[in-house]
Every structure is written in C-alpha cells, then in structure tokens.
Amino acid sequence: MNEHQSPPSPGFGLVALTELPAARRPLRIVLPGGSGQVGQVLARHFQERGHHVTVLTRGPYTAPWQTMHWDGVTTGEWAEQLEGADVCINLAGRSVNCRYNAANRREIYDSRIQTTRLLGNAIATLADPPKLWMNASTATIYRHALDRPMDEATGELGGQERGAPDTWNFSIRVAKDWEAAFFAADTPRTRKVAMRSAITFSPTPGNAFAMLLKLVQTGLGGKQGNGRQYVSWIHEEDFARAIEFIIDHEEMEGAINIAAPNPLPNREFMEALRDAWGIPNGLPAPALLIELGALFLRTESELVLKSRRVVPGRLMDAGFKFEFPEWAEAAEDLVRQWRHRND
C-alpha cells in the first residue's frame, strides 16, 4: 500500500464531517482499476480538491494518492476501503486496444463482468456501503449511427445492425452484459450510475490523443475511411467535472452518457486537430488501409470506423455546463498542453 495518505480516523471529527453535504466536505473515493489514463485523471482531480482517493490496482505504482493491491478476482483486504466510502468508481477492464481473438475476447469480457460482480458481492456485505457506485460502461453500446444523435432516452442499442462486423457485435455484447451485471447487483443502499463514456482525450503519451496527434505530425492526419463516421469524445477536464457533477446530484442514477455535446464527422474531427497543430493537410487512410494497419498494429479497426454519435442528454437536462463543448476549442487546448509538457 502507498502510505502517502491514510484513511480518515474514526472519531468526533469524522462524525462531524459526515453530517455535512457531500459538496462541502472531503469525500472518500475508491477507484478499482484506477491506474490507467482515466483513473489517473479522476484521482488527480479529486486529490487536488482535498478528497481522499484510494486506487485499487493489480500492480503497484508511485502516486500522490493511496494505492492498494487487488487482483480483481477474489475478495481481500481491499474491500475494507469500501466500508464507509462515499463513492466507488469502478474502471477495471482489460484494454480493448488489441486483436479480438478468442483469448483476448475472454479476457476483455471477464475483466469487466467478473470484477463488477466481485464489487457487487463485496458491497452487499458491508455494514456501511458506499453511497454511490459508478461503474464504467461505454458509448459503444449504441448502434453505428450516421443518421441521428443517440441520447439515453431515445438512443438505440446496437447488436442488430445488418452487415455489422462480428467484432462490433462482440463489443456491444460486452457492454450490455457489463451493465446487466452492474444493475443486477443487490445493493439497495447504494445509488448506481453506469458511465457510458466516449473517448476521453488527455494531453499525455500513450493514449488515443497521442496516437491521433502522431498521425497529424507525420502528415497522415487526413480522414479515416470515408470520413463520414461520427466521433464522440470528451476533454479530460469535462470528464472529471461530469463525474463530480453526478456525485453532487443525488437524483441522478442509471445509465448516463458522458460525452461532449457535439460529436462530429471524422473528416471534420481530423481537420480541427490538424488546424490546432498548424498542419493544413494530411493524407487520408482508406478503410482497407485501416484494416491492414489494424492487423499490423494488433488492434481493431472498429475503434476508428464505427460511427459513434452519442450526446449527453441527461447531463445537459440536469444543467451541466461543458468547458469544452466544441472539438476545435478542445483540440487547441490539448495541443497547447501537449506542447507545454513536451517543451
């Protein structure tokens, strides 16, 4: 365990804190599987605001917040961190940036469904369970959408599209079973939110933004496929703010789309990123070339070619205001931060 911070000690001070509204007191936030990009975005966001963060991780790493080992398979001492916690945000799941062969499919599936069931069983046994359990989901749960936006009320779940590749249907099945396992958990004293998240963009190496920026920098940042497929996205700052907003709004539960309100076609998306970097042109990548490239890079073309036109209906109806509602401004900010960090 990382001992940079210790859990709050029981006593009069803790009792006084728990009587305050969540928005005005430090929270205890537990992040199972929070060692990846999104987990670090959230851990940093809440740590900087004075909340106590614990990340449950399979591998130890150095961080300014507390970390504790878990294997994601069996109940252990990590479950004690959930006792009396304000929020559990489960982000556990094997990366989908791989080829969907039989072994990887099983690992992708089990790493999501089994860890969700494990957490549900652990929370069900607690005397003082978390007040809120947020579980990762994905905007990929919606169908390939070129015709209209997909919100929580009217969006159509995928899996029935004629001619859709098997890999697309697999991703949708994982998403549906993931949410089913989450909502089936018997945790009546805990509010539950499934986070149907779009791609979260951060100005750090090794993630989706870094990959796309590399294409732009090398002159390959043109449209991908026919360029008409929609890209759903969200700036890391708005992602963290949206999570905080949901925590503070106790009336919000169920499935919630966490995405910027203005998805845009891939052609326009890449053009805005090129403009932000200062490169006017980029070579396009036809669908066949993307399929070959995905095979070579040991990943799947779905991550680029499927049209995700997801909008955050429930967040906007609840009054959430985005700092970066438009991709052009978000891309400029991310590029600015990228240059600053690398310069």
Side-chain angles (χ1 to χ4, degrees):
M1 181 189 303
N2 188 319
E3 297 298 337
H4 287 287
Q5 290 195 350
S6 300
S9 300
F12 177 79
L14 179 59
V15 173
L17 284 175
T18 57
E19 293 173 351
L20 292 174
R24 287 187 287 144
R25 64 175 175 83
L27 302 179
R28 283 186 56 213
I29 300 174
V30 182
L31 296 170
S35 59
Q37 172 209 349
V38 172
Q40 294 195 47
V41 167
L42 292 180
R44 185 177 303 108
H45 177 87
F46 288 114
Q47 180 89 350
E48 290 175 350
R49 283 153 183 77
H51 302 298
H52 182 272
V53 176
T54 300
V55 170
L56 305 182
T57 175
R58 294 174 186 267
Y61 69 102
T62 302
W65 44 81
Q66 177 173 290
T67 65
M68 173 175 278
H69 174 75
W70 83 324
D71 61 7
V73 178
T74 56
T75 303
E77 293 183 4
W78 58 263
E80 298 173 7
Q81 295 294 322
L82 297 173
E83 187 75 60
D86 292 284
V87 187
C88 171
I89 306 175
N90 177 32
L91 303 169
R94 187 210 194 280
S95 171
V96 296
N97 186 19
C98 62
R99 295 297 290 179
Y100 289 177
N101 57 39
N104 286 343
R105 288 188 186 213
R106 174 52 56 189
E107 193 171 347
I108 288 170
Y109 188 91
D110 289 348
S111 65
R112 286 161 173 76
I113 281 70
Q114 288 184 359
T115 53
T116 297
R117 289 173 177 165
L118 176 66
L119 284 167
N121 292 336
I123 290 173
T125 66
L126 299 177
D128 186 14
K131 298 173 181 62
L132 170 62
W133 175 13
M134 304 182 75
N135 210 66
S137 182
T138 173
T140 299
I141 199 170
Y142 295 103
R143 67 168 172 83
H144 177 75
L146 294 167
D147 54 333
R148 67 177 183 86
M150 298 286 144
D151 64 12
E152 300 91 338
T154 65
E156 301 172 55
L157 302 188
Q160 305 300 321
E161 299 97 319
R162 177 177 296 180
D166 174 64
T167 51
W168 294 17
N169 290 330
F170 166 72
S171 297
I172 292 167
R173 180 171 70 86
V174 171
K176 289 179 177 179
D177 289 357
W178 200 3
E179 289 193 4
F182 174 55
F183 289 117
D186 186 17
T187 56
R189 292 178 292 164
T190 299
R191 175 166 62 107
K192 293 195 285 190
V193 170
M195 305 179 291
R196 292 180 177 172
S197 303
I199 299 174
T200 302
F201 285 113
S202 304
T204 52
N207 57 29
F209 179 76
M211 178 193 71
L212 292 173
L213 188 58
K214 186 67 173 179
L215 292 176
V216 168
Q217 292 168 332
T218 55
L220 301 175
K223 68 177 183 180
Q224 293 149 346
N226 61 28
R228 295 195 298 271
Q229 73 275 23
Y230 277 76
V231 181
S232 286
W233 59 276
I234 188 167
H235 189 290
E236 64 170 5
E237 182 176 334
D238 279 333
F239 179 84
R241 291 178 59 251
I243 299 302
E244 191 169 32
F245 183 89
I246 294 169
I247 291 173
D248 291 341
H249 286 71
E250 297 181 0
E251 75 281 3
M252 299 187 75
E253 58 184 347
I256 299 178
N257 292 345
I258 303 179
N262 295 297
L264 69 170
N266 173 272
R267 180 196 300 269
E268 299 172 20
F269 179 89
M270 294 305 297
E271 181 181 7
L273 184 55
R274 293 197 309 271
D275 289 345
W277 189 255
I279 294 180
N281 300 304
L283 291 175
L288 178 58
L289 183 59
I290 290 175
E291 295 288 357
L292 292 174
L295 181 63
F296 177 77
L297 296 173
R298 309 302 301 161
T299 188
E300 290 290 341
S301 62
E302 174 195 5
L303 303 175
V304 174
L305 296 180
K306 180 178 178 179
S307 184
R308 298 171 175 86
R309 195 174 178 180
V310 178
V311 293
R314 295 191 61 193
L315 278 173
M316 291 191 294
D317 289 346
F320 181 73
K321 303 298 182 184
F322 286 83
E323 293 289 337
F324 297 96
E326 302 287 348
W327 172 240
E329 288 76 14
E332 289 177 1
D333 180 76
L334 292 166
V335 164
R336 179 188 58 78
Q337 292 190 60
W338 181 277
R339 291 186 189 275
H340 175 75
R341 294 182 185 189
N342 287 279
D343 289 345

